[in-house]
Amino acid sequence: MCGIVGYVGHRNSADVLVNALTRLEYRGYDSAGIAVFENDKISVAKSKGKLKDLVDKMDREGKPQGISGIGHTRWATHGEPSDINSHPHSGAKVTLVHNGIIENYKELKEFLEKQGRSFLSDTDTEVVAQLLDYYYSHIKEPVKAIIETTQELKGSFALGIVFEDFPNKVFAVRRESPLIIGIGKDENFIASDVPAIIQYTKDYYLLEHDEIAVLEQKRVRIFDIHYQPVKKELKTADWDVDAVGKGGYPHYMIKEINEQPTAIKNTVLPRIKDGVPCLDECNINPEVLKNIKNIYIVACGSAMHSGMVGKYVIEEIARTAVTVDIASEFRYRNPIVGKGDLIIIVSQSGETADSLAAMRLAKQKGAKTLAIVNAMGSTIAREADMLIYTHAGPEISVASTKAYMVQLSVMYLFAFELAFAKGQIDEEKYRYLTSKLLETPEMVEKVIEHTTEISQKISTKLLTADSLLYIGRGLDYALSMEGSLKLKEISYIHSESYAAGELKHGTISLITKGMPVIAVATQSSIYEKTVSNIKEVKARGAKVIMICREGNDVPKDIADYVLKIPNFEEILLPMLVCVPLQLIAYYTAVQRGNDVDQPRNLAKSVTVE
Ligand code: F6R
């Protein structure tokens, strides 16, 4: 998704803006641009492609010099990636950058064209720039013009704005799309996310819907929609610049895979009291849990896959019905939820548009909402009735690994507490399961160590595959979904995950000689069943990569490669098995020469539908 930054201070603003945008590259983008006050005039530089293309262009054509400005990385929505469509966009006196989507831009454009205004780009953003310029030309006061403009806009936006008549001031406003205001010493910032500014300051304000910020070098003022000053609570990021660097690893993804043991510890340990989970600080207590009728886990992508694992775990040990829903489906199908139901929204970013809309819909229908979110202060975190933060730290790689892992750990914490509250497990079992969960960081570390080499080797066998299948049953099927998503999103090899028992109903016709099938078979009660399915694909020529447990009796000749996971508490195995699935995807993508951390067409934080 688009990234926004802005700066007013004492440094060379073009450098600050490019540095800050570099920290937002993980969000995914296809063009970049900056606008800087140079001798009290706004000077714009923008380019299709990566930030390096912008920097090269500025090296060739001159870098704007000044101490304030705004910057943007664009993920194309309206109009192809091109120099013209890149942000910033301008009217006569106004230049701005935008994250979000303006739904009524066509009507607004028609109105502006009738006023004699013309447009250079295909973007909705240029319409906002012209509309603001139109109001400013009448009102002559920037904040009032911003208020007037935002009242006309439908959709989502975070805007960074400069007015030619107000050198060295940066204005910002947001609705739905996130925006923070970084507070430094004699310098202030705007940014879509904290990593952008963490090398300059850890202190920031969260801008709320329709609030307007006015930044100068030595002060920041924030106003509401009625132009009344707003007092904000200063937040401080609890991680530093090292957390957003690669720390010696070639890619963020492999760094983040290796950070998983620490991420689990940071997420689980603070929630354990006297040897059992305690989610009181999240507003969840046994009374709340006892009264839950049905649970819906609603999310997108990997976060939804963590919900799939959650479903199996919660149903198994807490005997409570769980429906897992894709947020973009849930929100448009008039779901039957209401009082007594719990909707769990899972999101790393806390800003995913569909997940947020699903949560709001569930609230409207009278259900209670619980958010499992990684990004502090994000919209989903703020609007949920109950909240469990995962503490993965910043996840920069587009492909989720450590955030997914800690989502799993929270599913277990929640399931154990629910099971005990509902009387489905006794205290001994409750304590035992919790103690096993506490062992997972160490076990995950071991698995990373022991499966890296074989995962690398397996990945060399996948490089030229056109397509492959992941199969499994139960929890192994839930994991297969995540394994398959991870592989396709970064290696660009087509793959599907299938419930192993469902193959015979159609999909097995796809199996041809040499087609790789990754079979996950770690659950003892269904092991033999999965083995039978593996035999069926093997008999039709598949190249089988089998993931099972140490000590499993693997029949001769059913697998070309066997990757063994240490024996551990069965219900917790997903936290171990996801590691080689991540590693296989990672090494396949690396060997295919792909941009692992920023796969094509993808964005980290999907703030538009
Ligand atoms: C895949 C991936 C995505 C996200 C999905 C939801 O590796 O990262 O599928 O899981 O876009 O994002 P969040 O968790 O931010 O709501």
Side-chain angles (χ1 to χ4, degrees):
M1 288 294 103
C2 305
I4 287 186
V5 296
Y7 178 71
V8 192
H10 48 82
R11 307 175 200 247
N12 180 308
S13 70
D15 293 343
V16 175
L17 294 169
V18 170
N19 274 342
L21 288 173
T22 307
R23 302 282 187 192
L24 294 181
E25 279 192 300
Y26 71 92
R27 295 165 71 91
Y29 70 105
D30 38 45
S31 55
I34 61 171
V36 166
F37 272 109
E38 191 171 38
N39 302 324
D40 293 350
K41 286 260 172 288
I42 297 169
S43 177
V44 172
K46 53 188 190 174
S47 166
K48 179 184 159 187
K50 294 288 179 189
L51 277 165
K52 187 174 174 317
D53 299 303
L54 174 67
V55 171
D56 288 349
K57 188 171 182 182
M58 291 195 291
D59 285 346
R60 280 193 314 271
E61 296 174 9
K63 177 164 72 178
Q65 299 295 320
I67 53 149
S68 68
I70 50 177
H72 190 263
T73 43
R74 172 174 187 255
W75 189 78
T77 55
H78 297 72
E80 56 167 15
S82 68
D83 286 3
I84 289 284
N85 287 334
S86 307
H87 301 205
H89 289 282
S90 303
K93 294 279 191 181
V94 173
T95 294
L96 57 79
V97 290
H98 166 219
N99 171 20
I101 286 192
I102 304 303
E103 287 161 10
N104 59 337
Y105 81 102
K106 280 200 182 122
E107 295 94 290
L108 295 171
K109 194 170 183 177
E110 267 168 38
F111 163 78
L112 289 162
E113 276 166 347
K114 281 187 195 137
Q115 309 304 313
R117 290 183 176 249
S118 56
F119 295 85
L120 300 171
S121 76
D122 305 319
T123 64
D124 51 345
T125 304
E126 193 184 4
V127 175
V128 183
Q130 290 281 6
L131 187 68
L132 179 54
D133 195 67
Y134 167 81
Y135 280 118
Y136 179 67
S137 70
H138 289 88
I139 301 172
K140 309 271 185 226
E141 204 287 329
V143 175
K144 283 185 184 157
I146 291 172
I147 291 171
E148 209 60 47
T149 302
T150 54
Q151 282 177 353
E152 296 291 326
L153 301 179
K154 290 202 180 104
S156 58
F157 53 83
L159 301 170
I161 309 161
V162 285
F163 289 83
E164 191 147 287
D165 296 339
F166 295 86
N168 299 330
K169 280 189 187 180
V170 169
F171 299 76
V173 62
R174 84 164 192 113
R175 185 183 300 156
E176 303 296 345
S177 304
L179 201 64
I180 60 156
I181 311 297
I183 307 298
K185 188 166 175 343
D186 295 336
E187 56 183 350
N188 296 305
F189 306 79
I190 64 169
S192 298
D193 204 352
V194 180
I197 56 162
I198 197 85
Q199 71 189 104
Y200 303 107
T201 179
K202 286 180 165 192
D203 296 331
Y204 63 95
Y205 296 127
L206 286 168
L207 206 62
E208 298 291 342
H209 296 301
D210 287 336
E211 283 178 350
I212 299 124
V214 183
L215 284 76
E216 294 163 76
Q217 188 184 359
K218 288 181 190 283
R219 69 170 176 168
V220 168
R221 287 168 297 149
I222 296 176
F223 302 99
D224 67 12
I225 195 85
H226 309 294
Y227 208 168
Q228 292 304 304
V230 180
K231 254 194 115 43
K232 308 284 292 183
E233 180 198 345
L234 192 65
K235 310 237 174 227
T236 303
D238 60 358
W239 38 268
D240 56 25
V241 72
D242 291 345
V244 293
K246 284 193 193 147
Y249 288 95
H251 302 100
Y252 283 108
M253 182 173 172
I254 191 68
K255 175 183 178 240
E256 288 162 4
I257 289 174
N258 278 282
E259 283 171 345
Q260 293 183 115
T262 310
I264 303 168
K265 274 186 219 158
N266 291 344
T267 302
V268 173
L269 282 181
R271 274 64 184 260
I272 305 293
K273 207 167 144 196
D274 302 329
V276 291
C278 175
L279 298 170
D280 282 2
E281 45 119 17
C282 316
N283 260 340
I284 301 167
N285 58 47
E287 273 322 297
V288 174
L289 293 173
K290 260 187 226 159
N291 294 323
I292 293 171
K293 280 203 295 213
N294 300 304
I295 297 178
Y296 292 78
I297 303 179
V298 185
C300 306
S302 294
M304 189 268 292
H305 292 157
S306 78
M308 286 301 296
V309 172
K311 171 186 167 70
Y312 283 100
V313 174
I314 295 168
E315 291 195 341
E316 171 67 23
I317 64 163
R319 307 306 298 154
T320 304
V322 180
T323 305
V324 180
D325 249 299
I326 296 169
S328 54
E329 289 295 311
F330 181 89
R331 66 179 289 195
Y332 288 118
R333 71 168 164 75
N334 195 8
I336 306 168
V337 296
K339 220 166 158 358
D341 294 332
L342 177 71
I343 313 299
I344 304 180
I345 304 288
V346 191
S347 177
Q348 187 287 125
S349 62
E351 300 292 350
T352 302
D354 285 320
S355 305
L356 176 60
M359 184 176 81
R360 287 179 177 163
L361 175 68
K363 277 183 115 172
Q364 239 176 48
K365 286 176 173 280
K368 278 260 172 270
T369 55
L370 161 64
I372 299 175
V373 169
N374 196 47
M376 299 275 168
S378 53
T379 312
I380 293 176
R382 279 181 287 155
E383 291 190 15
D385 300 313
M386 294 170 272
L387 168 66
I388 307 179
Y389 274 124
T390 53
H391 294 296
E395 188 177 67
I396 308 287
S397 172
V398 164
S400 184
T401 53
K402 62 175 180 170
Y404 168 79
M405 176 69 92
V406 290
Q407 286 159 1
L408 295 186
S409 72
V410 169
M411 291 294 164
Y412 289 106
L413 280 173
F414 177 80
F416 297 167
E417 190 162 349
L418 179 68
F420 185 65
K422 289 207 172 235
Q424 294 294 338
I425 52 172
D426 61 17
E427 187 166 345
E428 196 185 338
K429 179 98 196 239
Y430 190 30
R431 289 189 177 281
Y432 171 75
L433 286 172
T434 310
S435 71
K436 287 300 185 186
L437 181 61
L438 288 168
E439 285 175 28
T440 54
E442 204 185 310
M443 293 302 292
V444 168
E445 201 165 322
K446 241 190 223 164
V447 175
I448 297 174
E449 216 178 289
H450 291 160
T451 60
T452 295
E453 206 179 306
I454 177 145
S455 300
Q456 234 164 333
K457 198 161 143 200
I458 289 168
S459 67
T460 61
K461 310 295 167 198
L462 306 180
L463 296 180
T464 53
D466 292 328
S467 179
L468 65 145
L469 281 182
Y470 284 73
I471 60 169
R473 289 170 179 257
L475 279 171
D476 292 329
Y477 171 46
L479 274 169
S480 299
M481 292 180 180
E482 178 57 8
S484 168
L485 174 63
K486 215 83 307 175
L487 185 85
K488 61 190 147 206
E489 70 175 319
I490 58 171
S491 76
Y492 315 146
I493 298 173
H494 172 258
S495 80
E496 294 292 335
S497 57
Y498 244 79
E502 180 67 7
L503 280 178
K504 282 201 247 349
H505 302 284
T507 310
I508 201 162
S509 68
L510 289 175
I511 305 281
T512 50
K513 194 164 165 12
M515 180 183 191
V517 173
I518 298 188
V520 189
T522 68
Q523 300 294 305
S524 52
S525 62
I526 40 180
Y527 178 73
E528 294 303 334
K529 301 276 174 209
T530 310
V531 165
S532 301
N533 299 128
I534 298 174
K535 284 181 182 161
E536 287 158 9
V537 293
K538 187 71 196 150
R540 284 154 183 87
K543 191 180 342 171
V544 173
I545 294 131
M546 183 173 174
I547 302 181
C548 59
R549 283 203 262 172
E550 271 162 16
N552 274 145
D553 180 18
V554 180
K556 208 168 156 281
D557 296 336
I558 67 159
D560 299 77
Y561 300 90
V562 179
L563 190 155
K564 291 202 171 171
I565 300 292
N567 264 316
F568 192 55
E569 188 62 28
E570 188 154 313
I571 204 157
L572 288 162
L573 278 175
M575 291 179 74
L576 311 194
V577 181
C578 70
V579 170
L581 294 175
Q582 296 166 343
L583 290 170
I584 290 170
Y586 172 74
Y587 286 113
T588 308
V590 170
Q591 289 179 75
R592 283 170 63 102
N594 295 352
D595 187 347
V596 175
D597 288 328
Q598 289 167 48
R600 69 183 177 211
N601 306 337
L602 287 176
K604 181 71 182 162
S605 175
V606 186
T607 51
V608 295
E609 264 192 73

